[in-house]
Amino acid sequence: MNWGWKTIIEPFKIKSVEPLGFTTRQERERILREAHYNIFNVKAEHVLIDFLTDSGTSAMSAAQWGAMMNGDESYAGARSYYNFENAIKDLTGYREVIPVHQGRAAERILFEIIGGRGKYSVSNSHFDTTRANVEASGTVAEDIPVKEALDFEKTLPFKGDMDIKALEKFIKRKGAKNICICIMTVTNNSLGGQPVSMKNLKAVSGICRKNNIPLFLDCARFAENAYFIKLREKGYAGMPVKNIAREMFELADGAMMSAKKDAFANMGGFIAMNNSEWAQKARQNLILTEGFRTYGGLAGRDLDAIAVGLKEVLDEKYLQYRLRSTEYLGRGLKKVGVPIVNPPGGHGIYVNAQKFLSHINPLHFPAQSLVCELYLLGGIRAVEIGMLMFGRRDGRGNILPGEVELVRLAVPRRVYTQSHVDYVIEVFARIAKNRKNIKGLKIVEAPKVLTHFTAKLAPL
Ligand code: F0G
């Protein structure tokens, strides 16, 4: 990449725009009160900058919209399906491709086939819907990230890696035949959007193959991970990202993808693999709840949008801009005194709320308090990754502080410009100055399942 300038520019121009949701402070106070201090209850039109998720929120390209108009909506054998299948085969090299409506459907189907009581799934970190689907099948989900992943201060190139020694110990302890799958989440969303190195992937692959444990990638953000490898790992600087991605897929036996991330699609996903017996079972399961094997719960136009998106995401000018713009947000926050998970991740910045709001008792939801303050002051929507989301409970049902208390600012792809990010940094600077005035929250109502989506809170 010979761009040669310090300023990394957005590698696109904008043809179609949407207005932002401007509100007054007074309105936001009312909106937040009516939302019971739960940001999931706020209407999107009342949000100015929406960093809730990078999932399904991408701006599609003109080429994607064009492909959508060509979508073939035939029930069986639609042209759109073959475009989709070819794009995935070309990317991954896997023989079997199964469309699903989003990532969690892939998880459900896979674990209904391979999971069950007495079995284990081991991962660098299961994403929360993955864990939920693993557990729903009766399987135990075990996370073994490298220890450094939980040291938020330390800057290391590949904090998404799996702890190899711990993997070997785990296999010895549980018995290889009881481990139905190993999942490498690339990048590791639950622990800061940190990448996995090829070296680590090779080591995990070697161990899995020796022990006959199938290895799958949760590849929602595979292109971001591949570009991190290009930037940070010896021997990959000169390799096209497409080849790096292919090497990653070749080390595994299959992949699940939520196409709502790196495929720039608003909806969709897939399972891809070489095991035709599993694929057969997956297709039988698919038809029960998702749809016929050539659409899997998606419209033909969605399949076409994904097919185009999977090619576009390999554009290295885009990936350079993508990772640099997330890093720009991270650096800006650090400059104004906001502690983040280091180094900046691929798809977002994770603020260490416990450290930032150390005056708030850990029982009083520091991360959710910061989420509310961001909305009140700046109309910014972020998401709590802390006790509300992971909500361990004591014997009386009270929610306890967990291992992490973070606020994630997930950056939608190709949606916001640098001035939007500068504004977010300015809001954080003001919050940093007055942070001692931020008060904690208490629970008013907290359903036991999916607490963070539905809980009602109130200021102390
Ligand atoms: N795997 C990873 C690594 C994810 O980040 C997600 C979704 C899924 C699987 C599930 O995919 O949403 O299409 O069903 N992550 C979103 C997020 C929700 O905000 O991080 P899905």
Side-chain angles (χ1 to χ4, degrees):
M1 279 292 310
N2 281 322
W3 171 245
W5 299 93
K6 231 171 48 201
T7 310
I8 300 300
I9 61 171
E10 285 85 3
F12 48 78
K13 53 186 179 170
I14 297 164
K15 180 179 327 219
S16 177
V17 297
E18 278 184 89
L20 292 177
F22 286 93
T23 49
T24 63
R25 164 96 195 192
Q26 212 178 12
E27 285 167 335
R28 288 194 296 278
E29 281 173 4
R30 177 182 53 76
I31 291 165
L32 198 60
R33 197 169 51 242
E34 287 172 4
H36 302 284
Y37 299 85
N38 185 335
I39 209 76
F40 285 98
N41 294 332
V42 173
K43 285 186 184 163
E45 64 183 319
H46 295 146
V47 174
L48 189 63
I49 305 287
D50 204 344
F51 281 171
L52 185 67
T53 179
D54 64 321
S55 180
T57 52
S58 298
M60 289 208 296
S61 64
Q64 281 180 296
W65 283 110
M68 284 185 89
M69 289 306 288
N70 276 319
D72 176 356
E73 305 302 340
S74 306
Y75 187 94
R79 185 181 56 244
S80 301
Y81 171 73
Y82 293 101
N83 293 339
F84 173 86
E85 187 191 67
N86 286 338
I88 293 162
K89 284 185 171 171
D90 180 54
L91 173 70
T92 64
Y94 300 136
R95 287 189 296 272
E96 307 280 357
V97 174
I98 292 139
V100 291
H101 82 274
Q102 62 181 94
R104 63 200 72 180
E107 296 156 4
R108 177 186 63 74
I109 291 172
L110 189 67
F111 279 90
E112 282 181 8
I113 298 171
I114 67 168
R117 270 186 207 297
K119 294 188 187 175
Y120 295 88
S121 169
V122 63
S123 176
N124 56 340
S125 292
H126 295 85
F127 178 65
D128 52 4
T129 60
T130 321
R131 170 174 288 275
N133 277 295
V134 170
E135 290 173 352
S137 76
T139 311
V140 174
E142 177 84 6
D143 290 342
I144 42 170
V146 286
K147 284 179 194 71
E148 296 81 12
L150 282 167
D151 180 348
F152 300 148
E153 300 306 316
K154 217 176 214 162
T155 292
L156 288 169
F158 292 106
K159 287 168 85 175
D161 282 353
M162 181 181 266
D163 185 333
I164 298 295
K165 283 218 177 80
L167 174 63
E168 283 175 326
K169 269 193 206 147
F170 185 73
I171 295 172
K172 244 191 212 132
R173 215 166 54 234
K174 303 296 179 189
K177 64 174 192 325
N178 298 319
I179 302 171
C180 63
I181 199 164
C182 174
I183 299 174
M184 290 296 277
T185 308
V186 293
T187 56
N188 190 349
N189 186 10
S190 305
L191 288 173
Q194 303 291 325
V196 174
S197 66
M198 195 70 85
K199 183 171 169 223
N200 189 255
L201 213 49
K202 277 184 189 158
V204 171
S205 173
I207 293 170
C208 286
R209 289 199 171 146
K210 200 175 79 197
N211 289 284
N212 259 327
I213 299 168
L215 170 63
F216 268 55
L217 302 183
D218 177 347
C219 69
R221 300 175 181 87
F222 74 93
E224 290 170 7
N225 199 101
Y227 197 70
F228 271 125
I229 289 176
K230 183 173 175 115
L231 292 178
R232 295 180 181 173
E233 194 162 351
K234 219 174 130 204
Y236 290 94
M239 194 186 278
V241 164
K242 188 178 173 185
N243 300 23
I244 300 175
R246 174 56 84 87
E247 193 174 324
M248 290 164 60
F249 287 112
E250 279 172 355
L251 289 168
D253 303 297
M256 299 180 274
M257 180 170 188
S258 165
K260 299 171 74 173
K261 284 81 170 175
D262 266 355
F264 300 118
N266 301 126
M267 194 43 83
F270 63 80
I271 311 174
M273 59 193 156
N274 288 329
N275 187 328
S276 50
E277 197 187 311
W278 285 9
Q280 188 70 11
K281 286 184 185 160
R283 291 192 181 104
Q284 276 160 13
N285 190 308
L286 192 74
I287 208 159
L288 282 181
T289 52
E290 294 275 304
F292 187 62
R293 68 177 175 84
T294 60
Y295 72 88
L298 295 169
R301 52 182 170 270
D302 297 326
L303 297 167
D304 271 309
I306 294 167
V308 174
L310 285 175
K311 293 195 179 89
E312 280 180 2
V313 77
L314 298 170
D315 172 5
E316 301 192 9
K317 279 196 285 305
Y318 160 74
L319 286 167
Q320 181 188 41
Y321 141 79
R322 171 70 175 161
L323 299 189
R324 276 288 289 273
S325 56
T326 308
E327 186 191 345
Y328 178 86
L329 169 61
R331 275 201 206 156
L333 294 187
K334 279 169 81 161
K335 226 178 259 168
V336 299
V338 178
I340 65 167
V341 172
N342 289 294
H347 66 293
I349 296 299
Y350 295 59
V351 174
N352 186 347
Q354 187 60 74
K355 189 168 173 197
F356 187 50
L357 301 180
S358 55
H359 63 284
I360 298 183
N361 184 324
L363 283 168
H364 297 154
F365 302 94
Q368 184 66 10
S369 305
L370 178 57
V371 166
C372 289
E373 185 63 20
L374 275 167
Y375 181 71
L376 279 180
L377 190 64
I380 299 162
R381 179 152 70 171
V383 71
E384 188 250 23
I385 300 187
M387 58 191 288
L388 200 55
M389 187 177 271
F390 291 119
R392 286 188 307 122
R393 312 235 178 184
D394 67 11
R396 289 209 212 106
N398 297 316
I399 300 180
L400 301 171
E403 260 183 296
V404 299
E405 191 62 19
L406 304 172
V407 169
R408 184 184 75 170
L409 304 161
V411 187
R413 292 170 183 76
R414 307 191 293 208
V415 171
Y416 294 112
T417 63
Q418 188 169 334
S419 63
H420 293 123
V421 173
D422 286 333
Y423 166 77
V424 172
I425 295 167
E426 187 183 342
V427 171
F428 262 104
R430 178 109 39 106
I431 293 179
K433 257 192 210 136
N434 304 315
R435 65 171 179 259
K436 291 283 186 278
N437 299 334
I438 301 176
K439 295 199 172 61
L441 296 163
K442 63 175 186 223
I443 283 280
V444 176
E445 210 181 294
K448 285 231 163 54
V449 281
L450 299 173
T451 308
H452 62 293
F453 290 129
T454 49
K456 294 181 177 171
L457 298 104
L460 281 175

